[in-house]
Amino acid sequence: MTQRELRNIIVKQLHTYLAGPKVVLSDQTAPEADYPLIYYQSVQQHIPGAANITTAAADGGTLTKYRREHAEATFSFTACSFNRQGEDGPISGDDEALELADRAQGFFLFAGRQLLADLGVVVVRVENTQSRSAFDTDETDRRYGFDVLFRYEREDKRAVPAISKPPITFTKEE
């Protein structure tokens, strides 16, 4: 599995589970989605694990070698909101961000564990939720976030020339 495949599985499944708030990549130059939202960041892309190397069958004199390992990666998730007026009255950004972070964390702790495992991604550890609020121009952007450590199978492959057996000829000694 590549880093992009890993990211796409995690983000798609979390977005589907939350059924509403957007799950977006952090540090984008484009305008952010409407609040509430969750942004994510890949913190550690490849933490190496035990590897094994195998060789596959030859095609036309070329072998394919595979290197597989159970690698790990850490992703950070941050739920964001701010105080504003909603259709039914004022919305507390702090409450909304905390509730969204709690739902996302719950996905990785329970609801999404088997779903992700079936897709080749194992949830190893879910860290505690922490306040990550930041003061914006004239309002505090309410943020709560946590990190998740995942394990997945990384595979690298390359073609190598096959070594053929040299012909062996016997000569009679006189």
Side-chain angles (χ1 to χ4, degrees), residues 59-71:
D59 263 343
T62 302
L63 292 174
T64 302
K65 283 200 173 243
Y66 293 91
R67 179 186 179 279
R68 292 183 178 93
E69 71 177 333
H70 287 229

PDB file of all heavy atoms in Angstrom, residues 59-71:
ATOM      1  N   ASP A  59       9.670 -13.420 -16.204  1.00  0.00           N
ATOM      2  CA  ASP A  59       8.993 -13.179 -17.476  1.00  0.00           C
ATOM      3  C   ASP A  59      10.045 -12.751 -18.475  1.00  0.00           C
ATOM      4  O   ASP A  59      10.616 -11.670 -18.347  1.00  0.00           O
ATOM      5  CB  ASP A  59       7.953 -12.056 -17.338  1.00  0.00           C
ATOM      6  CG  ASP A  59       6.556 -12.575 -17.122  1.00  0.00           C
ATOM      7  OD1 ASP A  59       6.320 -13.759 -17.380  1.00  0.00           O
ATOM      8  OD2 ASP A  59       5.713 -11.780 -16.686  1.00  0.00           O
ATOM      9  N   GLY A  60      10.342 -13.580 -19.451  1.00  0.00           N
ATOM     10  CA  GLY A  60      11.301 -13.193 -20.480  1.00  0.00           C
ATOM     11  C   GLY A  60      12.673 -12.853 -19.943  1.00  0.00           C
ATOM     12  O   GLY A  60      13.288 -11.886 -20.374  1.00  0.00           O
ATOM     13  N   GLY A  61      13.144 -13.589 -18.970  1.00  0.00           N
ATOM     14  CA  GLY A  61      14.484 -13.342 -18.459  1.00  0.00           C
ATOM     15  C   GLY A  61      14.553 -12.268 -17.384  1.00  0.00           C
ATOM     16  O   GLY A  61      15.632 -11.844 -17.002  1.00  0.00           O
ATOM     17  N   THR A  62      13.404 -11.793 -16.872  1.00  0.00           N
ATOM     18  CA  THR A  62      13.390 -10.771 -15.820  1.00  0.00           C
ATOM     19  C   THR A  62      12.639 -11.306 -14.603  1.00  0.00           C
ATOM     20  O   THR A  62      11.565 -11.874 -14.730  1.00  0.00           O
ATOM     21  CB  THR A  62      12.680  -9.488 -16.316  1.00  0.00           C
ATOM     22  OG1 THR A  62      13.357  -9.028 -17.476  1.00  0.00           O
ATOM     23  CG2 THR A  62      12.705  -8.411 -15.261  1.00  0.00           C
ATOM     24  N   LEU A  63      13.218 -11.127 -13.435  1.00  0.00           N
ATOM     25  CA  LEU A  63      12.569 -11.486 -12.182  1.00  0.00           C
ATOM     26  C   LEU A  63      11.997 -10.228 -11.541  1.00  0.00           C
ATOM     27  O   LEU A  63      12.520  -9.140 -11.732  1.00  0.00           O
ATOM     28  CB  LEU A  63      13.589 -12.089 -11.203  1.00  0.00           C
ATOM     29  CG  LEU A  63      14.178 -13.443 -11.534  1.00  0.00           C
ATOM     30  CD1 LEU A  63      15.267 -13.783 -10.519  1.00  0.00           C
ATOM     31  CD2 LEU A  63      13.109 -14.508 -11.520  1.00  0.00           C
ATOM     32  N   THR A  64      10.929 -10.395 -10.777  1.00  0.00           N
ATOM     33  CA  THR A  64      10.395  -9.274 -10.003  1.00  0.00           C
ATOM     34  C   THR A  64      10.646  -9.569  -8.540  1.00  0.00           C
ATOM     35  O   THR A  64      10.224 -10.598  -8.030  1.00  0.00           O
ATOM     36  CB  THR A  64       8.889  -9.088 -10.257  1.00  0.00           C
ATOM     37  OG1 THR A  64       8.691  -8.878 -11.653  1.00  0.00           O
ATOM     38  CG2 THR A  64       8.363  -7.888  -9.493  1.00  0.00           C
ATOM     39  N   LYS A  65      11.363  -8.666  -7.872  1.00  0.00           N
ATOM     40  CA  LYS A  65      11.628  -8.801  -6.436  1.00  0.00           C
ATOM     41  C   LYS A  65      10.664  -7.891  -5.687  1.00  0.00           C
ATOM     42  O   LYS A  65      10.419  -6.757  -6.090  1.00  0.00           O
ATOM     43  CB  LYS A  65      13.059  -8.402  -6.113  1.00  0.00           C
ATOM     44  CG  LYS A  65      14.058  -9.454  -6.481  1.00  0.00           C
ATOM     45  CD  LYS A  65      15.349  -9.216  -5.716  1.00  0.00           C
ATOM     46  CE  LYS A  65      16.270 -10.367  -5.962  1.00  0.00           C
ATOM     47  NZ  LYS A  65      16.559 -11.091  -4.768  1.00  0.00           N
ATOM     48  N   TYR A  66      10.133  -8.417  -4.582  1.00  0.00           N
ATOM     49  CA  TYR A  66       9.210  -7.663  -3.741  1.00  0.00           C
ATOM     50  C   TYR A  66       9.810  -7.493  -2.356  1.00  0.00           C
ATOM     51  O   TYR A  66      10.375  -8.436  -1.805  1.00  0.00           O
ATOM     52  CB  TYR A  66       7.878  -8.411  -3.592  1.00  0.00           C
ATOM     53  CG  TYR A  66       7.096  -8.515  -4.864  1.00  0.00           C
ATOM     54  CD1 TYR A  66       7.256  -9.605  -5.712  1.00  0.00           C
ATOM     55  CD2 TYR A  66       6.188  -7.530  -5.215  1.00  0.00           C
ATOM     56  CE1 TYR A  66       6.535  -9.707  -6.883  1.00  0.00           C
ATOM     57  CE2 TYR A  66       5.463  -7.622  -6.387  1.00  0.00           C
ATOM     58  CZ  TYR A  66       5.636  -8.716  -7.213  1.00  0.00           C
ATOM     59  OH  TYR A  66       4.920  -8.809  -8.363  1.00  0.00           O
ATOM     60  N   ARG A  67       9.657  -6.313  -1.820  1.00  0.00           N
ATOM     61  CA  ARG A  67      10.043  -6.050  -0.435  1.00  0.00           C
ATOM     62  C   ARG A  67       8.767  -5.634   0.278  1.00  0.00           C
ATOM     63  O   ARG A  67       8.114  -4.666  -0.109  1.00  0.00           O
ATOM     64  CB  ARG A  67      11.066  -4.920  -0.364  1.00  0.00           C
ATOM     65  CG  ARG A  67      11.482  -4.582   1.056  1.00  0.00           C
ATOM     66  CD  ARG A  67      12.389  -3.346   1.064  1.00  0.00           C
ATOM     67  NE  ARG A  67      12.769  -3.004   2.401  1.00  0.00           N
ATOM     68  CZ  ARG A  67      12.018  -2.314   3.260  1.00  0.00           C
ATOM     69  NH1 ARG A  67      10.826  -1.894   2.898  1.00  0.00           N
ATOM     70  NH2 ARG A  67      12.444  -2.041   4.470  1.00  0.00           N
ATOM     71  N   ARG A  68       8.389  -6.374   1.302  1.00  0.00           N
ATOM     72  CA  ARG A  68       7.168  -6.071   2.047  1.00  0.00           C
ATOM     73  C   ARG A  68       7.533  -5.845   3.512  1.00  0.00           C
ATOM     74  O   ARG A  68       8.377  -6.546   4.056  1.00  0.00           O
ATOM     75  CB  ARG A  68       6.179  -7.224   1.937  1.00  0.00           C
ATOM     76  CG  ARG A  68       5.615  -7.399   0.552  1.00  0.00           C
ATOM     77  CD  ARG A  68       4.582  -8.529   0.532  1.00  0.00           C
ATOM     78  NE  ARG A  68       4.015  -8.668  -0.787  1.00  0.00           N
ATOM     79  CZ  ARG A  68       4.472  -9.506  -1.717  1.00  0.00           C
ATOM     80  NH1 ARG A  68       5.519 -10.251  -1.466  1.00  0.00           N
ATOM     81  NH2 ARG A  68       3.892  -9.572  -2.893  1.00  0.00           N
ATOM     82  N   GLU A  69       6.860  -4.878   4.097  1.00  0.00           N
ATOM     83  CA  GLU A  69       7.061  -4.638   5.529  1.00  0.00           C
ATOM     84  C   GLU A  69       5.775  -4.158   6.159  1.00  0.00           C
ATOM     85  O   GLU A  69       4.919  -3.586   5.494  1.00  0.00           O
ATOM     86  CB  GLU A  69       8.176  -3.614   5.763  1.00  0.00           C
ATOM     87  CG  GLU A  69       7.816  -2.204   5.368  1.00  0.00           C
ATOM     88  CD  GLU A  69       8.909  -1.205   5.682  1.00  0.00           C
ATOM     89  OE1 GLU A  69       9.693  -1.435   6.608  1.00  0.00           O
ATOM     90  OE2 GLU A  69       8.958  -0.182   4.994  1.00  0.00           O
ATOM     91  N   HIS A  70       5.662  -4.387   7.446  1.00  0.00           N
ATOM     92  CA  HIS A  70       4.542  -3.871   8.213  1.00  0.00           C
ATOM     93  C   HIS A  70       4.971  -2.516   8.765  1.00  0.00           C
ATOM     94  O   HIS A  70       5.505  -2.432   9.867  1.00  0.00           O
ATOM     95  CB  HIS A  70       4.162  -4.836   9.333  1.00  0.00           C
ATOM     96  CG  HIS A  70       3.488  -6.060   8.815  1.00  0.00           C
ATOM     97  ND1 HIS A  70       2.323  -6.556   9.312  1.00  0.00           N
ATOM     98  CD2 HIS A  70       3.804  -6.877   7.781  1.00  0.00           C
ATOM     99  CE1 HIS A  70       1.957  -7.624   8.635  1.00  0.00           C
ATOM    100  NE2 HIS A  70       2.861  -7.839   7.702  1.00  0.00           N
ATOM    101  N   ALA A  71       4.732  -1.487   7.978  1.00  0.00           N
ATOM    102  CA  ALA A  71       5.142  -0.132   8.347  1.00  0.00           C
ATOM    103  C   ALA A  71       4.041   0.535   9.171  1.00  0.00           C
ATOM    104  O   ALA A  71       2.910   0.056   9.223  1.00  0.00           O
ATOM    105  CB  ALA A  71       5.418   0.679   7.084  1.00  0.00           C
TER     106      ALA A  71
END
